Amino acid sequence: MHPLKMLLAYASAYRAQIRLATLYTVLNKFFDILPEVLIGAAVDVVVRGDQSFLARKVLLGFGISDTWQQLLVLGSLNVLVWCGESFFEYLLELKWRGLAQDIQHDLRLDSYQHVQKLSLSFFENQRTGALMSVLNDDINQMERFLNGGATQIIQVLCSSVMISAVFFALQPGIALIALLPIPLILFGAFWFQKRLAPRYAEVREAAGDVSARLNNNLLGLATIKAFATEALEAEHIREASDRYRSANARAIRFSSAITPVIRMAILAGFTATLVYGGWLTLHGGLEVGAYSVLVFLTQRLLWPMTRLAEVADMYQRSMASTQRALGLLETPIGIAYEGQHLRPEQARAALQFEGVNFAYAETPTLQDLTLSIAPGQTVAFVGSTGSGKSTLVKLLLRFYEPQQGRILFDGIAIAELNLQDLRRCIGYVAQDSFLTDGTIAENIAYGVDGASEAQILEAARLSESLEFIERLPLGFATRVGERGQKLSGGQRQRLALARAILKNPPLLILDEATSAVDNETEAAIQRSLAVVSQGRTTLIIAHRLSTVRQADCIHLLERGRIIESGRHEDLLARGGAYAALWRLQTGEQA
């Protein structure tokens, strides 16, 4: 579908406002061309006196013979015309700009909300910076077109129709000559437009590349500094910016040719009107006032068309951006959100995995996984990197869907549950927990509406976060910075655990939550777990076996299969793979 049709379909809720804005634009253009008519009438009055147009009983059926009175009438009409033009220009600017802001706002929100619903597999082939470019730059580009480009297109069409009507009323012969360049101008504009489209699509892609590179480098600034690769990354940015500049230059070279071509066509039409109209006036075929009107209106008709170059340029940039933004909005959502509702306070979190298989591309990660987890159990999954531990959690959270098999939550397949309800039943603490750029209290209460100060304080106490929070100058009101950068890794993890505790979910998941923290923080998290895991199902994904010693059951995974299961002491006594891994981590001799 053409991007303009996509945009009009998306903005269907604003059709009434678009019609009103178009009406204001038409009325503004109507009053805008009247001064030229009044100028012609004034010339007619000055030259012909009591034989003028106004003196021949054409104004409301009454003639005005006195020349001074005729000029006063024209002056009064001129005031009304200018007031009308200014009034409708205010209304059209107000309406079009308001529409641009509203549609931009809606599209950005809808696109962002849609992106949030896409499965993680979508983001595997996307760069964050490129998505940022679509959600920000592309939508802003569309807004700029609605701010000015749409009005200009309507005004060119209106002026062509209105001025053509005046031309044919005054002198059909000159009308044909004056209007002759218009088809050539329009053909040239559309010809250039068609060839600009792929060039501006290339520009938007290059802009996305620059944004992606900048976003990646800003997130990895500490690593760049540590490896002293500032010059290397500056060169990468220069190369990406050069590609953007080159793509823009190719589009600019083409778009810059539009105006000179249109000017040549305008020159031909204006010269023909000036010369032929003057010849008719000298030979009595056209009145002086009418000649003045035609000359002025020819300029008003043709010269604004030089802005078609600017409009075509803005239009193509906007359509390239619109296609990217609305194309993102049309990306299918792979995981359905609707389903059977489940209240967290009624859930028991009994889990069953029945023949679950999953693979990233062609690489199997889980193979025929089958197990049951009773409500209230603390179960750990351990194994080497790539054994499928974290994948199991991602399937449970429905970040991905298994290729075969199913997962049941309280006896119901999770694919049949309302996705938001399922996730509200789960408290998730990841290895690299996300913190918002807000206060400590806001981060602990994240996702829990109406949490009281007492509840936040209790969650902080249970996660053993209270001690370091109280040492901060502003306590719970301390802002943590972007992604919690003002806090240490251990402090961030304790806040993430406090957030999960405050949620009070029937199922608690720790996905490598202690893998990147110091021993003190690990011990604090273990103490917290011993308390908060009571009465709730708890899954612990861990690399350090010391983290899971107290679990009710430990499953050792290898290449997506469970190869050993049991309690810590039983697995050590068995002397198998788990025992060997324990000796490796603790340094014990065989």
Side-chain angles (χ1 to χ4, degrees):
M1 184 186 295
H2 191 276
L4 183 58
K5 289 184 179 179
M6 293 169 66
L7 180 59
L8 291 174
Y10 177 79
S12 59
Y14 293 96
R15 282 177 183 169
Q17 295 185 54
I18 291 173
R19 293 191 190 103
L20 191 58
T22 302
L23 176 62
Y24 292 153
T25 306
V26 172
L27 291 172
N28 169 258
K29 180 50 63 177
F30 172 73
F31 282 102
D32 183 51
I33 66 172
L34 285 181
E36 275 68 25
V37 177
L38 294 178
I39 290 173
V43 171
D44 188 52
V45 167
V46 171
V47 173
R48 301 181 65 199
D50 57 5
Q51 298 299 314
S52 70
F53 179 76
L54 290 180
R56 288 178 290 171
K57 299 181 181 181
V58 296
L59 186 64
L60 299 177
F62 299 97
I64 304 173
S65 57
D66 184 75
T67 305
W68 176 243
Q69 290 183 0
Q70 293 179 40
L71 291 175
L72 289 177
V73 169
L74 290 175
S76 300
L77 289 173
N78 187 57
V79 171
L80 291 175
V81 166
W82 279 87
C83 288
E85 180 190 0
S86 300
F87 176 66
F88 284 111
E89 182 168 4
Y90 168 74
L91 291 181
L92 77 88
E93 289 286 340
L94 195 66
K95 184 58 70 175
W96 277 115
R97 290 189 177 187
L99 273 169
Q101 293 300 317
D102 289 343
I103 294 173
Q104 174 203 46
H105 173 75
D106 288 352
L107 182 56
R108 180 172 286 116
L109 283 183
D110 289 345
S111 298
Y112 175 70
Q113 289 171 357
H114 185 79
V115 166
Q116 287 190 121
K117 293 180 179 179
L118 297 174
S119 65
L120 289 185
S121 58
F122 169 81
F123 298 95
E124 292 172 359
N125 300 316
Q126 299 289 329
R127 291 174 297 176
T128 304
L131 287 174
M132 286 290 294
S133 177
V134 174
L135 293 172
N136 193 31
D137 295 343
D138 287 327
I139 292 177
N140 287 344
Q141 188 71 48
M142 180 212 68
E143 179 256 343
R144 284 191 286 271
F145 170 71
L146 290 175
N147 258 341
T151 307
Q152 292 181 31
I153 290 173
I154 294 170
Q155 287 185 334
V156 167
L157 292 173
C158 288
S159 62
S160 300
V161 173
M162 293 176 184
I163 294 174
S164 298
V166 175
F167 266 54
F168 279 103
L170 294 177
Q171 177 50 254
I174 294 181
L176 292 173
I177 295 174
L179 297 176
L180 186 62
I182 291 181
L184 298 176
I185 292 171
L186 294 177
F187 173 79
F190 285 118
W191 187 86
F192 277 103
Q193 171 198 314
K194 182 178 291 187
R195 283 150 185 79
L196 274 173
R199 288 170 171 81
Y200 279 128
E202 184 183 1
V203 168
R204 298 315 310 158
E205 289 296 328
D209 289 342
V210 173
S211 181
R213 174 64 71 174
L214 287 170
N215 181 75
N216 183 72
N217 285 10
L218 290 175
L219 290 176
L221 201 55
T223 303
I224 292 171
K225 287 177 177 293
F227 282 84
T229 54
E230 290 93 338
L232 174 65
E233 292 303 334
E235 177 62 19
H236 288 159
I237 296 297
R238 187 195 65 77
E239 291 172 356
S241 185
D242 265 349
R243 287 192 292 272
Y244 174 64
R245 183 175 62 175
S246 300
N248 244 324
R250 288 190 289 273
I252 290 169
R253 280 196 296 270
F254 208 80
S255 65
S256 298
I258 303 177
T259 299
V261 171
I262 291 177
R263 281 180 178 272
M264 293 302 101
I266 290 171
L267 175 64
F270 181 68
T271 303
T273 302
L274 189 70
V275 174
Y276 181 57
W279 184 84
L280 287 177
T281 304
L282 290 173
H283 291 81
L286 187 65
E287 295 178 358
V288 174
Y291 174 62
S292 302
V293 171
L294 292 176
V295 171
F296 283 120
L297 285 181
T298 302
Q299 284 188 306
R300 296 304 302 272
L301 172 65
L302 297 179
W303 283 112
M305 290 191 177
T306 58
R307 300 184 69 184
L308 281 176
E310 177 187 343
V311 174
D313 187 77
M314 189 188 304
Y315 173 80
Q316 281 306 331
R317 286 179 181 269
S318 174
M319 290 303 102
S321 297
T322 298
Q323 189 158 30
R324 278 162 53 92
L326 293 179
L328 176 62
L329 197 58
E330 291 181 351
T331 303
I333 298 173
I335 297 177
Y337 268 61
E338 297 304 318
Q340 182 177 335
H341 286 285
L342 178 68
R343 296 174 63 86
E345 58 270 20
Q346 297 175 344
R348 299 183 307 114
L351 303 177
Q352 289 176 273
F353 294 81
E354 298 181 349
V356 173
N357 286 268
F358 183 81
Y360 295 102
E362 301 299 323
T363 307
T365 308
L366 292 177
Q367 302 183 63
D368 197 27
L369 182 75
T370 299
L371 72 131
S372 296
I373 300 173
Q377 266 195 321
T378 297
V379 177
F381 295 90
V382 298
S384 59
T385 301
S387 61
K389 306 184 301 295
S390 294
T391 300
L392 183 146
V393 171
K394 291 174 182 177
L395 292 178
L396 183 55
L397 283 160
R398 291 191 71 202
F399 292 161
Y400 299 93
E401 298 279 35
Q403 275 96 31
Q404 291 181 357
R406 62 177 186 162
I407 303 171
L408 283 72
F409 188 101
D410 286 349
I412 307 170
I414 61 172
E416 299 173 6
L417 288 173
N418 180 279
L419 186 56
Q420 297 293 67
D421 286 353
L422 171 67
R423 290 174 178 170
R424 289 189 183 102
C425 291
I426 301 173
Y428 178 56
V429 183
Q431 178 179 354
D432 183 19
S433 293
F434 169 76
L435 296 182
T436 67
D437 186 11
T439 66
I440 285 179
E442 289 169 344
N443 273 282
I444 293 176
Y446 186 74
V448 180
D449 295 331
S452 67
E453 291 184 10
Q455 290 173 317
I456 294 172
L457 183 67
E458 180 64 10
R461 186 187 67 80
L462 289 173
S463 65
E464 299 201 14
S465 306
L466 199 55
E467 182 181 353
F468 86 81
I469 293 174
E470 289 178 337
R471 289 200 305 266
L472 297 172
L474 298 178
F476 282 90
T478 304
R479 299 190 70 86
V480 302
E482 186 178 10
R483 299 185 65 85
Q485 62 184 353
K486 294 182 180 180
L487 303 177
S488 69
Q491 289 171 338
R492 289 197 297 268
Q493 284 302 81
R494 294 193 199 189
L495 289 186
L497 180 58
R499 182 166 61 192
I501 292 170
L502 179 61
K503 190 177 181 182
N504 193 27
L507 173 60
L508 180 63
I509 298 176
L510 278 76
D511 185 4
E512 300 280 12
T514 61
S515 64
V517 299
D518 55 75
N519 292 333
E520 180 185 352
T521 302
E522 181 184 8
I525 291 176
Q526 287 180 349
R527 289 193 299 269
S528 299
L529 272 179
V531 177
V532 302
S533 63
Q534 298 299 317
R536 80 177 82 238
T537 306
T538 305
L539 302 187
I540 305 173
I541 310 299
H543 179 71
R544 296 180 187 174
L545 301 186
S546 57
T547 307
V548 301
R549 293 177 61 179
Q550 305 305 319
D552 296 323
C553 184
I554 301 171
H555 298 288
L556 176 61
L557 278 79
E558 184 177 308
R559 296 183 180 179
R561 298 180 185 273
I562 296 175
I563 59 172
E564 286 186 2
S565 297
R567 295 183 64 86
H568 174 74
E569 295 79 7
D570 297 335
L571 291 171
L572 287 182
R574 194 178 300 172
Y578 180 88
L581 189 59
W582 173 262
R583 289 194 296 271
L584 180 65
Q585 290 191 9
T586 60
E588 292 181 5
Q589 297 298 316

